[in-house]
Amino acid sequence: MLFSPMPSKALRRAETSDASGLTFGDVCDRYLIEYLGKIDMPDGPRWTGQHVRPRTAEDGWYHLNITRKVVVPAGNGQHVCLERKPFAAVSTLDVRTVQAERRPHGPVGCNRLMARLRHLFNWSIEEGMIDRTPFKRGDVSLVKLDTNAEKERTRRLQPGERARLLQH
């Protein structure tokens, strides 16, 4: 029998079918390792490229590190870093707080961060950690991206660009 360092998907799902003990930061750590393929090295993280390209994984790591630090309401007038909030308790208000915090830094970057966050929640549903996402209620989207932020571009190729593109 071959030994696999990563437990099977069914075993992982059985181990974590209840996210009540996991914080948002715990789930981010699992997502970084299991989906984005993070490997900690002495000189910094490396990426396996199993599900996404290394550059995409690096962007996801950046987005999740930003998201973890956002301060969100915790009830009774208290606030907490999203990283420490129980994952199952993350609400639409928390996601909108992250969105409002990032919007001043640029609408395109905010859209990318929100898309990564939405994927994290969808992935956690697939993994059996939660059964709903704060982005939707039924078929209704509760958190929307700025659709006017990203414009299609057209331009003419510069001399020599066509040949370089055809080489790949």
Side-chain angles (χ1 to χ4, degrees):
M1 183 171 152
L2 295 173
F3 173 75
S4 172
M6 293 295 288
S8 72
K9 196 174 208 175
L11 181 59
R12 283 194 319 259
R13 186 171 287 131
E15 290 172 349
T16 60
S17 59
D18 181 8
S20 61
L22 298 174
T23 65
F24 180 81
D26 294 334
V27 175
C28 285
D29 290 339
R30 282 194 53 189
Y31 179 80
L32 286 167
I33 293 167
E34 295 175 21
Y35 184 79
L36 295 180
K38 181 181 178 201
I39 301 171
D40 285 321
M41 303 295 280
D43 59 341
R46 296 284 180 262
W47 310 98
T48 63
Q50 180 180 0
H51 297 288
V52 296
R53 293 181 177 153
R55 178 64 187 153
T56 302
E58 203 171 292
D59 288 345
W61 177 64
Y62 172 77
H63 288 139
L64 291 177
N65 282 338
I66 288 171
T67 305
R68 289 172 186 247
K69 296 173 187 164
V70 174
V71 176
V72 296
N76 297 328
Q78 302 293 315
H79 290 81
V80 67
C81 250
L82 186 56
E83 177 175 48
R84 295 195 324 244
K85 190 163 188 172
F87 189 66
V90 175
S91 67
T92 301
L93 176 61
D94 298 329
V95 173
R96 286 184 179 149
T97 301
V98 171
Q99 187 177 36
E101 178 89 17
R102 294 309 299 169
R103 189 171 286 125
H105 297 277
V108 174
C110 182
N111 279 354
R112 296 290 194 299
L113 184 138
M114 296 310 291
R116 176 62 57 199
L117 190 55
R118 182 174 53 209
H119 186 263
L120 170 85
F121 278 97
N122 289 336
W123 174 83
S124 65
I125 290 170
E126 288 175 12
E127 292 294 311
M129 289 184 242
I130 57 173
D131 57 0
R132 64 166 190 81
T133 172
F135 283 84
K136 285 185 120 177
R137 185 174 301 129
D139 289 337
V140 179
S141 292
L142 302 174
V143 179
K144 296 183 182 355
L145 303 183
D146 184 354
T147 56
N148 295 323
E150 303 188 39
K151 301 290 183 195
E152 204 175 300
R153 295 185 329 168
T154 58
R155 68 175 184 87
R156 295 185 184 271
L157 295 177
Q158 298 296 317
E161 279 186 303
R162 184 176 188 275
R164 284 194 305 269
L165 287 171
L166 292 175
Q167 286 176 351
H168 294 282

